[in-house]
Amino acid sequence: MATPPPPGIYVPVPTFFVSKKAANYDPVAAPVDIETQIAHSLYLARSGIRGLVILGSTGEAIHLTNKERFEVLSGVRQAFEKEGFKDYPIIAGTATQNIEETVEQLKGAKEAGAQYGLTLVPGYFAGASTQEGIIRWFTSVADRSPIPILIYHYPGVSNNVKVVPATFETLAKHPNIVGCKLSHGDVSYHTQVASNPSIDHSKFATFTGLGQQLLPVVTVGAAGAIDGSAGFFPKSVVRLYDLSVKNQPTDDEVRERRLLQFKVSAVEELVVKYGTVGIKEAISRLRKLGDPDGTRLPLFGGIPGGDAEWAKWQVLIDALEEEELKL
């Protein structure tokens, strides 16, 4: 029986591309920058992040070829092994809606060194999708996948297809489906999955995709978060998780986690507003890694407004950076 990823904080890492200044820069499809990918991944592992999601929505999975997918995954895995992070959890995203191609990507992910797959809910035929069709689609993928998979429910990139709690209850019984990432704001749905007594939560872990929800969803059984802002404030989000899972926190710890959740939630609005573009901007400005304009078309440029827009967030970012530097 497959086991889910260990509880904690995971980061959906962006895929880094070479700078415009590089000799091999291509404005249509800049080559992947494995060196920066590795540097960012090691920075996160050394900061207490429990594992990585590579090639998810933040990682622009739909913009990469299968060859590039393998290069990114295997490059990070080899670096982890070399630097003493043996068996460090890597979850590889898939973003195709063809079952056969999804399974091929999962096979490639295993070959590259990933232990899990994060499989996006198919959403092209949103109007005609049924819960039974979703169950059959994921069952078919899980039956054929060489690695355990998690269901990736992100209505914002799946044409607003909804997966209801009863569907998760059914799919959680599959021996090769070990969890889910819920990237939406419906805490009631989180509760109906993470607290469902009919689900064996030792075999099926529920992760939120939003650090904004970390404290409340952990209290209803979530295993942690796969959070974009942890890509540039890793220690702060890990600290929030550690405080959130305490069963008998002191009064000081209650106050600390509420204030820290406020600061994380406020900064996370940058991620909600600008997605991977905002994440890359923050990683570049705060951690000096990558190029804020390092995306692939149709994504183009950094955050709209550049320095002027960044300045609007500065007070919130400085407040969380103060926490980060304490840890």
Side-chain angles (χ1 to χ4, degrees), residues 66-85:
N66 283 346
K67 178 177 181 293
E68 290 170 327
R69 292 171 59 86
F70 184 87
E71 290 172 354
V72 171
L73 287 168
S74 61
V76 174
R77 171 55 71 203
Q78 290 170 27
F80 277 148
E81 296 295 317
K82 180 180 177 182
E83 296 297 322
F85 291 94

Side-chain angles (χ1 to χ4, degrees), residues 62 94-103 105 119-127 129 133-134 137-138 140-141 154 157-161:
I62 58 170
T94 70
T96 177
Q97 305 191 26
N98 177 300
I99 290 174
E100 184 175 3
E101 189 175 1
T102 300
V103 172
Q105 289 190 355
T119 304
L120 185 66
V121 172
Y124 189 89
F125 291 106
S129 292
I134 291 170
W137 192 92
F138 272 101
S140 297
V141 171
Y154 185 4
V157 297
S158 296
N159 212 2
N160 283 318
V161 169

Side-chain angles (χ1 to χ4, degrees), residues 101-294:
E101 189 175 1
T102 300
V103 172
E104 285 302 311
Q105 289 190 355
L106 291 165
K107 289 177 179 177
K110 180 182 181 180
E111 186 180 350
Q115 299 100 316
Y116 302 94
L118 182 68
T119 304
L120 185 66
V121 172
Y124 189 89
F125 291 106
S129 292
T130 64
Q131 297 302 302
E132 181 61 26
I134 291 170
I135 289 170
R136 288 172 180 263
W137 192 92
F138 272 101
T139 299
S140 297
V141 171
D143 284 346
R144 293 161 175 78
S145 175
I147 52 177
I149 66 169
L150 291 84
I151 301 162
Y152 184 17
H153 187 208
Y154 185 4
V157 297
S158 296
N159 212 2
N160 283 318
V161 169
K162 299 294 192 298
V163 182
V164 302
T167 295
F168 285 102
E169 180 180 334
T170 298
L171 289 172
K173 296 179 173 65
H174 194 289
N176 209 31
I177 299 178
V178 295
C180 62
K181 176 188 178 186
L182 306 181
S183 292
H184 56 69
D186 194 332
V187 175
S188 176
Y189 265 39
H190 281 72
T191 304
Q192 292 177 64
V193 177
S195 294
N196 188 337
S198 297
I199 293 175
D200 183 346
H201 299 287
S202 69
K203 298 174 182 176
F204 185 90
T206 302
F207 292 89
T208 178
L210 297 170
Q212 290 178 315
Q213 302 171 329
L214 181 56
L215 176 56
V217 299
V218 164
T219 64
V220 294
I226 301 172
D227 176 57
S229 64
F232 46 94
F233 284 123
K235 294 178 183 179
S236 298
V237 181
V238 169
R239 174 63 177 166
L240 176 57
Y241 171 79
D242 290 341
L243 290 168
S244 298
V245 296
K246 282 182 172 286
N247 288 324
Q248 294 181 310
T250 65
D251 289 345
D252 285 344
E253 288 171 334
V254 169
R255 283 190 290 270
E256 181 186 355
R257 72 185 186 183
R258 285 177 178 170
L259 181 58
L260 191 52
Q261 179 67 81
F262 167 78
K263 291 179 178 180
V264 169
S265 294
V267 167
E268 189 97 30
E269 292 295 334
L270 177 70
V271 176
V272 172
K273 186 173 184 178
Y274 293 117
T276 189
V277 174
I279 291 170
K280 284 192 170 182
E281 186 90 29
I283 292 172
S284 178
R285 288 179 181 263
L286 296 171
R287 307 303 162 222
K288 311 305 179 187
L289 291 167
D291 184 342
D293 189 12

